[in-house]
Amino acid sequence: MNQSMRLSGRAALLAASAIASVVVLGPIIWALSTSLKSDNHIFAVPPRLIPDEPTLMHFQRLIAEGVQWSFLNSAFYTVVSVAFAVAVGGTAGYALVRYPVPAKRALLVLFMGVMSIPSYALLLPTQVIFVRLGIFDTRLALPILYAAHVIPFAVWMTRAHFATVPRELEQAALVDGYSRFEAVWKVIIPGARPALIAASAFGFLYAWNDYITATTMVEAPDLRTLPVALIFFQGFHGRDWGALMAGVVIATLPPVVLFLVYRRYLIGGFSEGSVKG
Amino acid sequence: MVSVPASGTTTFTRSIEDAARAGRRVGTTLVGPAVLVVIAVNILPAFFGFYSSLRKIFFFGDEGFAGLDNFRALFADPVTWEAIGRSLIFTFGALALAVPLALLAALAVRELGARGRILLTILLVPWAMSPIVVALLWKWILLPSPGGLFASILATFGMPPANLLSNPTWAMPTVIAVAVWRTFAFAAIILTAGLGQIPKDLYKAAAVDGLTAVERFSRITVPLLAPSILIVLSMLTISYFNEVQVIIGLTSGGPIRSTTTLAYQLYLTGFVELDQGRGNAIAVVMFLINLVLIVGYVQLLGNKKGGEA
């Protein structure tokens, strides 16, 4: 009897998980389905999940509007800012573990404190500063801001991980005749790979998914990011839900694929950070 | 210093000192760029924002020192207090929904073993999406016309289409639900990790002692999970209190201001109405509230950990 209760409990659990998965994935699949339907099928009653005659017309319409340039802008801002943030933040994280940096505690508090400032609360003064420096509405504006926001994360994540790479490994490499640089490149960086991947993935999600920084720091249409372009598209073609959902699909694909590929590092990065405090 | 004849010891001491100095120099050089960027792009604007909050600035025109006028005007305006109230409703409404859901998800993930990891991955997919894109997606789903997915589900139950996002009563709960849809699984990660830290033997011992499932949950799971729950509460509180993109995308603060939280009010005042003096004053208030929340949670977490150690 206990056995059958166990089994029915497990069945209920699986059923609940299935429902939760449908509630979570359903809307995303619905967007994909809408993006592949022709205009006269989109409002069909009752709605159909599988498009009758799948079409790429909405994606073509987005391309006709030049949305691919916004996609490339987003990609450029994201890649540049993540590469810079992880390089600079990772270097700092390494130094904080291996070298007697002056005011180490104060620096750690600084990085932690900066993470607790809501980024959009700084956008008003940043806008004025960027206007005066001539950075506002240029290709530099967003990579600088994204990098500055990801650096503290990268420092904390890599610091925790560099601390677990044994110092002896490094020394052994030096004894074996590697230069300091080679030792870092061939021994330390591979050792800290999970933290570097996790920091990069967080940076990617932050920069690629941002809307508010992008909409307040860039005005020129040819510098726009994808989320901003989609909101403008919605403003002009409010009822073109097919094209809007095609845009949702295009904007969602890179971060979701990245998340699925690197989920182990992302989940690990967060749960380790919380359990170890 | 007394001159000591050159001996092995002093050379040794000096070389250690030299090495330490060299180490500090290298360390400073390596940390330097990160510190410079963070000071230039995060700290300086924060101070400049505080300075601006004390001035009358409109349409980028600085009209001079205003003292605390921006703050006085802010707190004299009932709109501000309403926005603070809505921020609290949004934050605690979302927490009330997200934390139990995350706990259920975490328990299910643990029970399901290998399949649980798949469940967690599925639940986390919306978290990888852009908040503004999530808003667009839900706008389409909630479209109150035939063809809208939500309207069609209502229709199968014989109900007329409901325009949730333009209904002053339903707009806030809807915005909360969408925000929770995007983020609750993030809390589940931390709770799953916390559950993993509870020794399995405790449950075996409890089973031997004849404790029921409910007793095991209330006497073992909840107390031992308390630190993880506190972390989840603190991270989500701050993230919900500062949520602005989902609101911009779904309702733009409407209808009739019913979803205008303090975060949205900051965006509206500073970037739409271009009252930058007052916008910065709101930013200062937001920052102070964030600080209070963070310090409060650090205290709670610190005491908890100290008490157990």
Side-chain angles (χ1 to χ4, degrees):
Chain A
M1 193 210 147
N2 205 1
Q3 189 81 18
S4 74
M5 261 174 72
R6 261 249 171 89
L7 272 175
S8 65
R10 214 169 159 73
L13 190 62
L14 280 172
S17 306
I19 293 170
S21 304
V22 168
V23 171
V24 164
L25 290 187
I28 302 169
I29 294 167
W30 182 240
L32 181 64
S33 158
T34 305
S35 75
L36 296 171
K37 287 177 189 169
S38 63
D39 278 329
N40 42 349
H41 283 111
I42 282 180
F43 288 98
V45 180
R48 296 184 152 213
L49 188 59
I50 311 290
D52 289 331
E53 302 146 28
T55 167
L56 293 175
M57 60 182 283
H58 302 300
F59 293 90
Q60 285 158 352
R61 192 141 73 239
L62 284 179
I63 290 173
E65 293 271 339
V67 166
Q68 70 276 24
W69 302 116
S70 308
F71 182 96
L72 288 176
N73 284 337
S74 275
F76 171 78
Y77 300 143
T78 303
V79 169
V80 170
S81 61
V82 170
F84 182 70
V86 173
V88 168
T91 308
Y94 176 71
L96 286 168
V97 170
R98 282 288 188 270
Y99 290 97
V101 179
K104 194 177 274 190
R105 270 193 74 82
L107 289 179
L108 288 172
V109 170
L110 174 80
F111 288 122
M112 186 53 105
V114 161
M115 276 195 272
S116 60
I117 306 175
S119 60
Y120 69 91
L122 294 179
L123 289 177
L124 276 174
T126 304
Q127 198 181 45
V128 175
I129 293 171
F130 276 21
V131 166
R132 288 192 192 159
L133 293 176
I135 304 172
F136 178 74
D137 209 15
T138 69
R139 277 194 201 283
L140 270 180
L142 295 177
I144 290 176
L145 292 173
Y146 294 150
H149 218 75
V150 174
I151 283 173
F153 264 112
V155 172
W156 274 91
M157 288 200 104
T158 54
R159 194 186 77 98
H161 218 91
F162 281 129
T164 66
V165 181
R167 207 181 271 261
E168 290 73 24
L169 221 61
E170 227 175 302
Q171 279 156 355
L174 290 175
V175 170
D176 283 353
Y178 281 15
S179 71
R180 189 96 201 155
F181 179 75
E182 282 173 326
V184 168
W185 192 250
K186 293 191 177 148
V187 178
I188 300 161
I189 289 182
R193 217 173 132 239
L196 296 174
I197 290 176
S200 309
F202 284 130
F204 186 99
L205 293 185
Y206 177 75
W208 181 270
N209 288 339
D210 163 74
Y211 169 76
I212 186 149
T213 309
T215 196
T216 51
M217 290 299 149
V218 166
E219 282 175 348
D222 53 337
L223 300 182
R224 264 177 208 150
T225 65
L226 188 54
V228 177
L230 291 180
I231 294 301
F232 269 94
F233 186 87
Q234 186 203 21
F236 291 122
H237 316 264
R239 290 187 198 148
D240 193 346
W241 289 106
L244 280 169
M245 289 308 110
V248 165
V249 169
I250 293 172
T252 299
L253 216 53
V256 166
V257 167
L258 179 104
F259 163 70
L260 291 178
V261 173
Y262 291 114
R263 64 186 182 285
R264 208 157 48 87
Y265 299 101
L266 274 159
I267 292 175
F270 259 120
S271 47
E272 270 170 38
S274 69
V275 172
K276 287 176 191 161
Chain B
M1 210 175 140
V2 189
S3 76
V4 180
S7 78
T9 340
T10 46
T11 324
F12 186 63
T13 321
R14 195 175 308 137
S15 72
I16 283 184
E17 274 170 10
D18 282 351
R21 205 171 304 125
R24 274 199 297 276
R25 203 162 47 229
V26 176
T28 310
T29 315
L30 293 181
V31 176
V35 176
L36 281 182
V37 173
V38 164
I39 288 177
V41 188
N42 292 311
I43 307 289
L44 288 183
F47 281 104
F48 184 57
F50 178 68
Y51 167 81
S52 305
S53 74
L54 303 174
R55 303 184 71 83
K56 191 169 163 57
I57 309 176
F58 200 73
F59 242 100
F60 296 99
D62 191 335
E63 294 164 22
F65 188 67
L68 294 176
D69 282 358
N70 287 321
F71 291 93
R72 246 178 249 129
L74 197 63
F75 288 116
D77 191 344
V79 164
T80 309
W81 294 102
E82 285 165 23
I84 291 175
R86 286 191 210 99
S87 282
L88 295 177
I89 292 172
F90 180 87
T91 304
F92 290 102
L95 277 176
L97 212 56
V99 175
L101 278 176
L103 187 55
L104 283 177
L107 289 168
V109 166
R110 190 188 54 169
E111 283 298 312
L112 289 173
R115 264 178 286 189
R117 282 197 291 279
I118 301 171
L119 175 67
L120 189 60
T121 304
I122 291 173
L123 298 184
L124 270 166
V125 167
W127 172 69
M129 293 174 71
S130 163
I132 204 84
V133 168
V134 165
L136 269 179
L137 163 60
W138 278 94
K139 254 182 155 166
W140 162 231
I141 288 174
L142 295 172
L143 197 72
S145 78
L149 189 59
F150 182 66
S152 304
I153 292 171
L154 286 182
T156 56
F157 292 101
M159 286 190 275
N163 197 349
L164 294 179
L165 289 174
S166 54
N167 177 322
T169 316
W170 282 101
M172 180 61 96
T174 309
V175 173
I176 289 173
V178 172
V180 169
W181 178 83
R182 197 182 84 80
T183 50
F184 85 94
F186 164 74
I189 304 180
I190 294 164
L191 294 179
T192 306
L195 284 176
Q197 297 284 305
I198 301 177
K200 289 239 168 24
D201 296 352
L202 279 178
Y203 290 100
K204 281 184 195 142
V208 171
D209 289 350
L211 264 67
T212 64
V214 177
E215 284 172 327
R216 269 174 296 183
F217 179 75
S218 64
R219 292 204 202 157
I220 301 176
T221 310
V222 171
L224 288 180
L225 202 57
S228 298
I229 293 175
L230 268 173
I231 290 171
V232 161
L233 281 175
S234 61
M235 289 177 108
L236 286 187
T237 305
I238 289 155
S239 117
Y240 289 143
F241 189 78
N242 293 309
E243 178 60 65
V244 65
Q245 308 196 78
V246 166
I247 294 173
I248 293 177
L250 277 175
T251 61
S252 299
I256 18 176
R257 309 184 67 87
S258 61
T259 53
T260 300
T261 60
L262 198 56
Y264 187 79
Q265 186 72 41
L266 165 56
Y267 171 77
L268 190 70
T269 309
F271 290 106
V272 181
E273 293 166 359
L274 292 173
D275 186 343
Q276 285 113 349
R278 190 152 161 186
N280 276 303
I282 301 177
V284 170
V285 172
M286 294 277 313
F287 173 69
L288 290 177
I289 296 177
N290 271 290
L291 201 66
V292 168
L293 288 174
I294 290 165
V295 170
Y297 278 118
V298 167
Q299 288 284 331
L300 271 171
L301 285 170
N303 289 344
K304 202 84 204 167
K305 286 224 166 114
E308 276 170 12

